[in-house]
Amino acid sequence: MGAGQSSEYSGAAPEELSYALAERFATKCFTPLELTHFKDNFYSRAAEQGGLRYWNEKTLSDFLGIPDGSFAAAHENPLDAGPVIFRMVSYLGAFPFQNTMAPSVLTFEAIVKVVVLLTERYGKALRRGRKDRIKLLFGSLADVGRKEIVESDAEKGEVSAEDDGVGTQHANSHAPGFSIDEPANDDYEEDEDDDLALAALESLDAIEVFKHDHRVDRTVYETSISLDTFRRLLMLLLVIAPLKSLESVRTYTSDLSNEKIEEIRKEADWIISAFSPQDIDGGISYKAFASTISSSLPYLFDPLTPLFEHMLFSRNLNLSQKRHLDTTLEQETLEKPEEIPPPTSIILPGSFESSILNSTLISHLSFFLPTASSSINLFRSGIRLHPVFSTAAHGSSLTSFSHNVMTWQSPSLLLLQGMPETPDSNSDQELITLGAYLPQPWKSPSSHPSSQSPTTLPCLFQISPQHKLLPGNPSPSIEKQSNTPQAWFSTISGLAIGCQIPPSSRTTHVNPKPHGAGSLTIDVNLESAEFSTEPVGHEGVFLPPCNTLPNDSSTKVKIDIYSLEIWGVVPGPEQGSDEGGASAVQMQRAKWEFEAREAERRRNINIKAGTGGDSAKESARWLLETAGIISDHGQYDH
C-alpha cells in the first residue's frame, strides 16, 4: 500500500478483521480441493442457532476421534482430552484478538484459523509470520479465570444451551476476555512482540488497530497451566504421536486398557517434571513452558498437525465421486463400521525384543530426538530402529558388544535402565531410564578418525523419573578434539559417552574422565553406570541440561544396570537413504558374516602347536581375544 493510501479495513471492528483474516487464510493456505473438503466436513456436521452455524465440543471430539467424557465414564483412568482440545481451539479461533474475543464460537471462520495455526500453514499468508506457536499454545491452555467467566455469564442468562456451547452473547463471535485476579508471573519480556498477530494485521493493512497495544498480551504471562489440563493433553499427544495425515485416530485410541493408560500417565508425569520442578504444584508458568518446549521438547505439539489435517479430507466427498458404484453397495459401504487397522511400528525385526522400548516411550523420544532435518520429528522422518545389541539377549560380554555394535556404521541409540545405588537400602527409589543419540559410529583405541561430519548433533537424555535433555555442543572445536569422542569403547575401561580419553600408556591405565556438562560411563561388565551432569560447561560433547535451574548443582548418579540396549538408527527415504536405509542393515550383516567366516577359518589354527610351546599358545590366544574372535574363556564368537 503506497503512502497516502487508506486501507480497505481502516477503522474496521475486530470482528470484521477476524473474518477477513479467516478468508485470507482459507484462500491462501488451502488448495481449492482442500477447501471443498473442509466445507463439507464443517457444514455437514454443524449445529445452527439464530442463523449461526457452529460446532460444539461433542462434534469436534467425535470428528477428530478424541476420547471425551463418554470414554471417561467407561474407564477408571480416562484419556479425557476432548475438553482440553475444545478449550484450545476456542482460544485459537479468536486469533489475532484472543484478549477480547476468546473464547470464540467454533464457526467455519474460527476453525479455518485453528487449522492454519495448528498445522503451521500461516507462512503462506503471513510474510512476517514466525514459525513459533509457543505463546499461542500457552494462552490456549492457560485456564485462570475461565471458570469465573462461564459462571458469570450463566448468572446473567447469557448462556442458553450448555450442551451446544453457544449463547446469545456469542452470536457476534465475541466473548469477554479472561479475567485475571492477581499476576502470577512478572518475569515476561517487556520488548517481546506478538509476531504472528502483528503479521496477521499487517497482511490486512490494518496494523493501526493494534497500535494501542502492540505488545504481547500481558495476561498470557500472568496465567498458568494447571497440571491436570496439561497432563490430559500430554497423554493424548503420547498416544497419537505416530499419527500420519488422514490416518484414523482410533487406530491409537480405541484399544487402551487400564494398564496402558497408567503407563501413559506415568510417561506424562515424567515429562511434566521437566517444567520448573521447584514450582510445579502451582501450575506451569509461561517462562517454564516457553523455555522447556523450545529447548527440551521441540516436537511436543507436532501430533496436532496430522490431527487437524483431518479437516481437509471428507469421506463423504470421497464416496460421492464413485458414481459408477451400485446404489445398494454404496449404502452398505456407508453403513459399514470403520475398520481400524493395527498401528505400525518403527522397530524393525531383529535378534531380540526390547525390554525397555514400548510405544509410549517411543512417542516420548519423538518429542525431542534429533533427525537429519531439524524441523522433522522421529515419526515424520521415516526413521526406523534396528536391534543391534541387548544385554538380555547377548549377555554382558564386551566381546559380544564389540561384535554387534562396532560393526554398525550408522547412527545409534543407546538405552539404559536400572536402579540408582543408594546407601540406604530401604529408601524408595524409582527406576531410572537414560539414553544417548549418537550420530557417529562408536570408536575404539584402534579406530580411525571419521572423515564425514554428522548431519545432526548427539544428545544425552534422561527419560525417567524426570525428563532431562543435554543437547550436543555445536562448537566446531569439539569435533576436532580426538580425545573427546561422542562414544568410546575399550575392553579395559568399558564404555564412555561424552568423556575425555587420556593418552594411552604401556605402563599405566587411566579411565576415561567425565568432561563438560554431561557424561555417561559403563563398566567392563556392563553391570553398573555413572551418569554425571553439570549446570555449566561448554567445552565438552554435551551442553548443560535444558531445564537447569540457577541453584542446581553437579550431580553424579551411580546405577545398577538392569538392561542395556543399542539400536541402530536406520534413516528413512525422507533423509535420502537408499531404500529407506536398508543399506545400513545390509552392511552390518555383511560384516557379521565376514567375521563368522574368519572365525571358522581360524578354527584350524592349532594353538597347542608351535616351537614356542606354552608361550606360542598364549600368544595365539591373546591375538584371537584381542581381535574379538574368541572370548576370554576361549570360546569362539559368531
Side-chain angles (χ1 to χ4, degrees), residues 4 20 51 58 82 101 183 202 210 261 267 327 335 343 399 487 490 508 568 609:
K58 186 178 187 308
M101 294 176 60
E202 185 182 70
F210 228 41
I261 288 289
E267 203 83 32
T327 306
E335 295 175 354
T399 302
S490 169
T508 60

Side-chain angles (χ1 to χ4, degrees), residues 469-484:
L469 176 65
L470 289 81
N473 193 341
S475 173
S477 62
I478 300 300
E479 296 182 9
K480 297 178 181 179
Q481 296 179 12
S482 59
N483 67 333
T484 312

Side-chain angles (χ1 to χ4, degrees), residues 39-91:
K39 289 179 178 178
D40 182 77
N41 279 325
F42 178 82
Y43 288 109
S44 64
R45 295 167 175 82
E48 184 174 353
Q49 180 175 326
L52 185 70
R53 305 289 294 276
Y54 67 95
W55 277 19
N56 57 29
E57 180 181 324
K58 186 178 187 308
T59 304
L60 181 70
S61 296
D62 288 346
F63 176 79
L64 296 178
I66 299 173
D68 55 10
S70 59
F71 183 90
H75 294 75
E76 295 179 5
N77 295 313
L79 183 67
D80 186 14
V84 177
I85 295 296
F86 184 74
R87 170 178 298 184
M88 292 180 68
V89 300
S90 298
Y91 177 90

Side-chain angles (χ1 to χ4, degrees), residues 1-7:
M1 184 176 68
Q5 291 180 308
S6 60
S7 168

Side-chain angles (χ1 to χ4, degrees), residues 14 59-60 132 149 188 239 346 376 433 436 448 480 564 581 597:
T59 304
L60 181 70
D132 181 354
I149 291 174
Y188 53 78
V239 170
I346 67 170
I376 300 178
T433 305
H448 298 288
K480 297 178 181 179
L564 173 67
R597 290 195 300 269

